[in-house]
Each structure stands twice: as C-alpha cells, then as structure tokens.
Amino acid sequence: MKKIILLLAFVCSAGMHAQKIVTQVSSPRLKENREITIGLPASYDKNPDKKYPLLVLLDGDYLFDPFQGALNYGNYWEDLPEVIIVGISQNKNNEREIDCAIDEATGLPAESGEKFFEFISLGVIPYMQQKYRISPFKMIAGHDTTAGFMNFYLYKEDPLFTGYISLSPGLAQDMETHIPERLAAITKPIFYYQSTADGDVRKMQQRIRDLDKGIKAAKKESLNYGFDDFKGATHYSLVLHSIPNALYQFFAAYQPISMNEFNEKIAILPSGYVDYLANKYDVMEKALSMKIPIRINDFKAIEAAILKNKAYQEFDKLSDMARKSYPKSMLADYQLGMMYEKMGENKKALKAYQVAYQKEEIGDLTKDLMLDKIDQLKNQ
C-alpha cells in the first residue's frame, strides 16, 4: 500500500518533472490521424547528445500517468533512468478491440489488428526516432487485451522491442506455447515481465500461470524474466503493483549497488569483486544500451568487499578501472595506496597517497584524508 501511495504522489506531480506533449501521427494504414501522448525527460533539452530508452504504451489513455509517475519517482532516487514515453490513445469508438482484433482461425492479428500492428512498427516508432533521440532499448507495455496483443512482436524473427511489460494479458490462441518457444529461439537479450492476481479475471488466470511455467522451463540465459501473482489485488489494481516491479526488474543493472546487492551478491563471493562491477556496467551498456560513468558509491562498495574479504590484490585492478573512469581524480592512486598499506608495503603506500594528494578530490576522498594517511605512515 505504501508503494502505491508513493507512486500516486508522483503521478500527481509528474508534470513538474517532465514535458508532456499531445499530438497526432498520420497513419495511411489506419486511414486516420491517431492521437499519441509523449513524455520527455526533464533533462532532454539540457543533454543534446544523450539518447533515451523508449517505452511504448498501449492503452496510453490510462497507463501513461502511472508509468510516468513511477519513472519520475525511480529517477529521483537514481534507481531508474530517464525514459521517453509514448502513449497511444485507444479509448474512442471501441478502438482497443478493433486495434487488437485477432483471427480466431489462425490466432494472429486480423485485418484491423494487422493494420494497428504495422501502425506501431511503421508509424509510431519511425516518427519517434525521427523526432527524438531514441536509444536501441525499446519497451512496450499493455493491459489485458493490449498486453496479449503486444506479444505478436515476439513472433518476428528480429523482435522490434527488447522489453515487454504484460499486465494481466488476454492471451491469443496457443500463446502459452508460442511465447516460450519464441523466447527460447531469440538470440538477443529480451526482458519480459507479466503479472496476474488472485482477484484477476478467472478465465485469464490459469492461462497466464501456464505461460509462466512455460517461460520458466525455457531457461534461456539471455532472457530476463519476471512474474508476479499478487495477493489481494484485482484485475485493475494489479497494474499499480506491477509497474514499479517491472521497471525495477528491467533496470536492475542501472541501479546503484544497494545494501542487499552488496550482502547477497557481492560480499559472499570468494573473489572477482572487480569483475562483478565491470560486468554490472557491461550489462548496462550491452543489454540496456546505456553507458554511464561508474558511480563513486559503486567503487566504494567494491572497496568494502575487498577489505571485508582481505582480497587486497584486487585493488590493483580496481585502480586501473578508476583511472579510466576518473583520470584526474585521486581515486585510482588512493586505491593503490590502500593495497600497499594493507599488504604491509608502507613505502609504496606512502608514495601512492602523496601522488593522490596532488590530484582532484572526489566523493569523500579529500586532501585532508590523504594528509592523514601520509602522516600515519610516516609515524609508523
């Protein structure tokens, strides 16, 4: 409940953090102009060279604000990146049913469904790519009917989207079989999340749970999969539970190292603490198409793991990484000083701290701290 209240608070204030643009996209296939709502990150105009992940929302009429609120909240705490959102309006003249029409014989999009499918891939996506700075990491989300429909993008040999957020999906014919088969066959990284609840529509629940079993049986290393079966939630309230869970799952690699991650994944390792850090940022770059400097606090977390496990030689590798990330700062030489000091090579430690003293301060590393280190070693 606390999570939902916080999310609603950010939904109400979302306009303070991001630009919201309502416009129309012409669609020859649909033979009409279609309304879309675009949410640009607050930093968009300030960072002219930066590209952002794209989130396409079916049922944009009611999913746009909850998603934007969750993203604003997560970005405030630096847990989630800024994302460009485009919500497709589907609330007029029974549009969502027409858009998601399926041929009962084939289990594939019917004529109007096929046109809407192509409207997204050949209309909305090119429009967003031409007008805005979009990174290769694209996501799509939907609820019940639209959640089921978006899975058809997985049927393509090279799926248009990397991330799929399926909220209580109304599954088309044989999707419990086809989706696991496709996820097992796709070679590139795929992020997939789905949810249901004990108060969900009963005729949908069992098929969603069967799909969950099928996906889990695939055991694909390149698949990042998450599933929630909420207790005490309905077909509609599960949406507010699901949104932050899905986003935090997809962007787990983006998040700074938390206390839980440190205790449960890093500190327990017998070795390879620096490799863990390198892999975390490598996943962020390759899977999420995001390249950011290694956070100072993440360096400090790995430093703490090295000290805790007395793996002092790993400071050498950590120092090399710090020198590449922050070449003008004292971080790399400080880490060398730590290595030599812990290994009893005080003369080398003293020299490293003296070199660090001449570099730029960073985080909690200050010239006063370096002087203290130097004085301690001189007095030994």
Side-chain angles (χ1 to χ4, degrees), residues 54-273:
L54 177 67
L55 172 60
V56 177
L57 296 177
L58 308 183
D59 285 318
D61 314 273
Y62 65 87
L63 288 183
F64 186 94
D65 286 341
F67 268 97
Q68 189 177 55
L71 285 163
N72 282 342
Y73 180 81
N75 183 253
Y76 180 86
W77 298 109
E78 298 184 350
D79 282 342
L80 299 176
E82 291 183 302
V83 171
I84 294 177
I85 308 173
V86 55
I88 302 173
S89 298
Q90 294 181 273
N91 68 343
K92 299 175 182 177
N93 303 320
N94 203 32
E95 281 176 339
R96 73 195 304 266
E97 301 300 328
I98 297 171
D99 290 342
C100 301
I102 297 170
D103 188 316
E104 292 185 3
T106 64
L108 298 174
E111 184 177 353
S112 62
E114 185 177 357
K115 290 177 181 178
F116 182 69
F117 184 90
E118 293 180 356
F119 165 65
I120 295 173
S121 59
L122 302 179
V124 175
I125 298 298
Y127 175 86
M128 295 300 295
Q129 289 175 323
Q130 291 168 13
K131 198 168 182 64
Y132 303 103
R133 300 187 303 275
I134 305 297
S135 83
F137 189 71
K138 301 180 188 68
M139 302 166 284
I140 187 168
H143 180 219
D144 58 54
T145 300
T146 60
F149 185 84
M150 74 178 192
N151 286 303
F152 288 119
Y153 289 100
L154 286 170
Y155 287 20
K156 293 290 186 179
E157 185 174 348
D158 183 17
L160 178 62
F161 298 97
T162 306
Y164 299 78
I165 300 176
S166 179
L167 310 174
S168 182
L171 299 172
Q173 179 180 325
D174 296 327
M175 272 191 171
E176 306 96 311
T177 303
H178 293 327
I179 293 174
E181 289 175 347
R182 287 300 304 139
L183 291 174
I186 296 168
T187 56
K188 72 178 186 179
I190 292 290
F191 294 74
Y192 196 96
Y193 171 90
Q194 65 167 343
S195 62
T196 186
D198 56 7
D200 201 356
V201 179
R202 290 195 176 277
K203 67 180 181 180
M204 299 165 63
Q205 284 178 354
Q206 189 56 52
R207 297 190 67 198
I208 295 170
R209 289 167 181 159
D210 289 343
L211 175 56
D212 170 58
K213 292 177 183 177
I215 294 175
K216 286 176 178 173
K219 296 180 180 178
K220 190 70 179 291
E221 188 174 338
S222 59
L223 173 64
N224 184 316
Y225 175 64
F227 173 69
D228 280 317
D229 193 342
F230 295 107
K231 305 302 179 186
T234 68
H235 179 67
Y236 299 102
S237 67
L238 69 81
V239 170
L240 285 180
H241 290 281
S242 302
I243 290 172
N245 285 10
L247 294 172
Y248 272 75
Q249 173 199 325
F250 284 15
F251 294 111
Y254 175 85
Q255 297 158 30
I257 294 173
S258 64
M259 187 59 69
N260 284 342
E261 184 177 2
F262 177 83
N263 289 328
E264 297 174 7
K265 296 183 179 181
I266 302 174
I268 61 173
L269 294 172
S271 61
Y273 311 104

Side-chain angles (χ1 to χ4, degrees), residues 265-330:
K265 296 183 179 181
I266 302 174
I268 61 173
L269 294 172
S271 61
Y273 311 104
V274 181
D275 289 340
Y276 180 95
L277 181 63
N279 182 66
K280 179 180 177 73
Y281 282 79
D282 188 54
V283 168
M284 197 187 312
E285 181 175 357
K286 291 181 179 178
L288 301 178
S289 303
M290 303 177 68
K291 187 172 183 177
I292 65 172
I294 298 175
R295 299 178 179 93
I296 301 301
N297 285 342
D298 287 350
F299 272 114
K300 298 297 289 183
I302 300 305
E303 175 188 318
I306 291 171
L307 291 173
K308 179 181 177 67
N309 292 283
K310 299 181 180 179
Y312 305 131
Q313 289 184 336
E314 289 212 22
F315 272 124
D316 193 15
K317 196 172 182 179
L318 188 64
S319 176
D320 288 341
M321 188 180 292
R323 204 173 299 281
K324 292 176 182 177
S325 298
Y326 301 98
K328 296 181 180 180
S329 80
M330 55 178 64

